[in-house]
Amino acid sequence: MPRLKYASILRVFVIVGLLCLWVQIMLSASGVGMDKDGDEIMLQDIINTTNSELYEEELMNSNDTSEQVLALVPPELHKYLTVHPRNNSANATDRTSPRNITDIRRAIQMYNDAQTIYNEDIFGPVQNDTIIIAIQVHTRLTYLRHLIVSLAQAKDIDRTLLVFSHDYYDEEINNLVRSIDFTKVMQIFYPYSIQTHPNEFPGIDPFDCPRDAKLDQAIKLKCNNALHPDLHGHYREAKYTQTKHHWWWKANRIFNQLQCTAGHTGMVVFLEEDHYVAEDFIHMLNLLRTTADKTCPQCEILCLGTYLKTYQYHSNTDKRKKQLNLNYIQQVRAANEERRKRLQETQWNYQVYPNIYSAVQKVEITPWHSSMHNMGMVFNKTVWNDIMALQEQFCAYDDYNWDYSLLHLSQNRPGREKFKVILCKGPRVFHIGECGIHHKKSNCNASTVISKVQKLLQNAKQYMFPARITATISRPGALRKYDKSGTTNEEILLLCVIRT
C-alpha cells in the first residue's frame, strides 16, 4: 500500500509540474509575440527614421559641408536652401504629393490650363524678346535649390521668364518654385509622366516585356511590343525614355502652346535641375548672340556650358603650355569619352588658368555635337520650327537621349548642313549633378561639388562680364557615336509625334 500511495503522489507532482511547464511555455510564447510586435513597431520607427534621414540627405546631402556652401551664398538667399519640416511617413521619392493619381492629374491639368505667370505684376509682362529660361525638373530638390540660388545672383535675371517644366508633381518643389521673388516664373507639368501613369504606358505597364528578355522569350510571354526590341535587343525602360519625351514636350509647349510666347522671337535657354549658372551668363549670352549675328549668321545654337574640368576665362599667349595647344573639340571629345566610360575622377579638380588677364575672351564656332554642347544650349523659335519639320527623325530615332536624337536629326537634314553652335570656352553653366539617371557614384555629396563650383566662380570673378569676345572656327574630325537605344516601338513614336 505505501508503495502505491507514493506512486500516486509522484504522479500528481509530475502532472502539476507538466502543467506549470505548459503554462510557462504559453506565457513565454505570448511574451515573444509581444516582443515581436514591439520589434515590428520599432522596426517601422527605424524605417520611418531612415526614410527621413535619406530625405534630409537628398536635400542637403551633407551637413558637414553645408556651412561651407552657405558661406558663399548671400544671407538673403538662404531661404531657398531652407529645408522645411515634413511628414516623416512620406518616403524620399513620394514626399508630400497627393496620394491619389486622379488628384495629381487634375492639378496638373489645372495649372497647365491656367498658364499663371507669377510676379508678372512686379516685373511686367513677357515681351517678344524676353529671354526665357526653361528648366527641366525631376525630383532632385537639392540641386534645384542651388540652381535657383545661382539664378538669383545673375545680373539682369529680373528681365527674364523662368519656366519650370516638371515630370513629377510635388508640393514641396512647387512651394520652392513659387517662392521665387527675383523674376517672373511659370510652371508647366508634363502630363504623360510615370507618376501619372504608374501602371500603364507611358509608365510601367505590368505587361511590358522585361528589359533583357530574348526575342523568343518575349514572343512566348506575349508581352507588350514583343516584336520590337531596340537595336541592342532590349525592351523599353520607362524611366529612361521619359526624359527624352519630357524634353520634346517641354520645348514644343514653350514655343507653340503658351499664350505668352505666341509672338516670341527671343532666345530660350535650356537648363536642367542640376545645373548652376555664373552671374554673367545673361551678359555672355547677349555677347554670343551679337557675335553670331555678325560672324556666323548660320549658327542656329548658342552654348553656355561644357563638361571640361579646366576652363579658360582669359586669353593666353604662352605656347609652351602643350595642353592649351589642343584643339577645343579634341579636349571636349577626350573629356566626353572619359565621362561616357564613367572613368572620370571622383573629385572635381576645377582650375582657372593661365594667370594672364584679358578683357577679351574667346568663343568657338563648330558643328553642334550632342554630349559636348547640350548644357545651357540656346535657340529661338525659328530653329525650333526647323526641328519640328523633322520631328519623326527625332521621335523615331532609337535612342533614349534627347540630345543624341537631336544630333541624328542634325546629321540628316535634307539639303542642309549640321547645326552649328557658337560657344564660350569659359563656361557660364556648370553641371553639379554627380548622381542621377546617367551617373551612379558611391559618393553623391552635392555640397562638395557645389562648393567647388562656387570657389571656381570666385576665382574667375575678375574675368566675368568681358567687354568683348573673339570667335575662332573649329572643324572637328569624326565623332564616336554612343548608342543608348531603348525608344523604338509604335507606342513611343505616337506619344512623341501625335501628342506634340
Side-chain angles (χ1 to χ4, degrees), residues 225-479:
N225 297 296
L227 298 176
H228 302 283
D230 65 24
L231 60 86
H232 296 301
H234 300 307
Y235 290 93
R236 183 186 74 98
E237 290 182 278
K239 66 179 180 179
Y240 294 118
T241 59
Q242 173 173 269
T243 303
K244 172 178 174 176
H245 295 140
H246 180 188
W247 187 90
W248 182 258
W249 176 90
K250 169 194 65 183
N252 185 66
R253 178 76 175 168
I254 291 171
F255 284 115
N256 292 332
Q257 296 179 350
L258 298 180
Q259 296 173 3
C260 66
T261 61
H264 191 261
T265 57
M267 297 176 285
V268 176
V269 183
F270 289 85
L271 299 178
E272 296 179 12
E273 63 186 6
D274 61 348
H275 289 170
Y276 194 97
V277 301
E279 61 179 321
D280 71 336
F281 87 98
I282 295 175
H283 173 81
M284 280 300 296
L285 174 58
N286 289 323
L287 281 181
L288 284 175
R289 181 70 274 163
T290 301
T291 304
D293 289 342
K294 292 179 180 178
T295 63
C296 185
Q298 72 274 25
C299 286
E300 298 100 328
I301 297 173
L302 316 180
C303 184
L304 295 165
T306 179
Y307 292 96
L308 285 180
K309 295 295 189 289
T310 301
Y311 302 131
Q312 185 181 4
Y313 285 90
H314 36 80
S315 65
N316 171 63
T317 57
D318 187 357
K319 300 301 181 182
R320 293 171 299 177
K321 295 185 180 292
K322 293 183 179 180
Q323 61 266 44
L324 293 182
N325 292 333
L326 284 175
N327 176 278
Y328 178 68
I329 288 295
Q330 291 175 324
Q331 294 181 50
V332 178
R333 190 189 309 159
N336 182 61
E337 179 83 7
E338 190 173 315
R339 180 176 61 86
R340 287 289 182 176
K341 291 181 177 180
R342 298 181 181 179
L343 294 177
Q344 72 265 47
E345 297 177 359
T346 301
Q347 298 299 321
W348 286 36
N349 297 314
Y350 284 127
Q351 299 178 27
V352 179
Y353 82 103
N355 298 316
I356 300 174
Y357 172 79
S358 174
V360 180
Q361 292 186 26
K362 292 182 179 179
V363 299
E364 190 145 10
I365 296 170
T366 186
W368 182 83
H369 189 267
S370 52
S371 60
M372 298 177 189
H373 312 128
N374 64 2
M375 183 166 56
M377 61 182 288
V378 185
F379 55 84
N380 60 21
K381 192 170 187 175
T382 300
V383 176
W384 176 249
N385 288 338
D386 290 342
I387 293 172
M388 278 291 293
L390 300 172
Q391 62 178 327
E392 287 197 20
Q393 293 224 32
F394 179 95
C395 294
Y397 187 59
D398 187 10
D399 194 300
Y400 63 69
N401 294 286
W402 65 264
D403 53 345
Y404 271 115
S405 299
L406 194 60
L407 176 64
H408 171 75
L409 182 152
S410 170
Q411 293 172 332
N412 292 277
R413 297 200 293 172
R416 301 185 65 178
E417 294 184 350
K418 303 172 185 176
F419 288 131
K420 277 193 171 56
V421 61
I422 180 168
L423 64 150
C424 45
K425 287 188 175 181
R428 265 55 182 189
V429 176
F430 302 85
H431 182 248
I432 59 174
E434 285 292 83
C435 287
I437 290 180
H438 299 294
H439 306 273
K440 307 294 184 185
K441 289 190 175 181
S442 57
N443 179 12
C444 297
N445 193 320
S447 294
T448 301
V449 178
I450 293 163
S451 176
K452 291 190 176 184
V453 173
Q454 288 174 322
K455 289 178 180 177
L456 165 69
L457 291 174
Q458 238 187 2
N459 294 336
K461 197 172 184 66
Q462 61 180 317
Y463 310 125
M464 299 289 107
F465 300 97
R468 60 191 180 91
I469 55 179
T470 59
T472 59
I473 298 175
S474 173
R475 292 180 174 82
L479 295 170

Side-chain angles (χ1 to χ4, degrees), residues 78-90:
H78 286 189
K79 60 186 179 182
Y80 298 119
L81 302 177
T82 302
V83 179
H84 298 286
R86 67 177 196 90
N87 181 359
N88 286 342
S89 64

